[in-house]
Amino acid sequence: MGNEAWGLPDEDAELADKVVAVPMWGKAESLNLSSAAAVCLYATASAQRRHR
């Protein structure tokens, strides 16, 4: 997980297989890290459940 304002540092992103982002609509500027992590974990768990 990267910094709330700047995301993941380039050197860390290069180590990842994939880099994802949480889309935000409206006037939201950012999610705090724990909220973003929860959204990503939920989406991952849901996707894994669908592919069984």
Side-chain angles (χ1 to χ4, degrees):
M1 293 288 173
N3 178 285
E4 183 177 343
W6 302 289
L8 201 59
D10 291 338
E11 57 272 10
D12 293 337
E14 290 173 8
L15 299 172
D17 292 330
K18 292 189 179 191
V19 177
V20 299
V22 177
M24 297 192 326
W25 295 275
K27 295 183 180 187
E29 292 182 12
S30 65
L31 290 175
N32 76 21
L33 184 59
S34 62
S35 297
V39 169
C40 291
L41 291 171
Y42 178 82
T44 299
S46 294
Q48 289 178 0
R49 199 172 304 120
R50 283 192 303 269
H51 293 291
R52 285 186 178 178

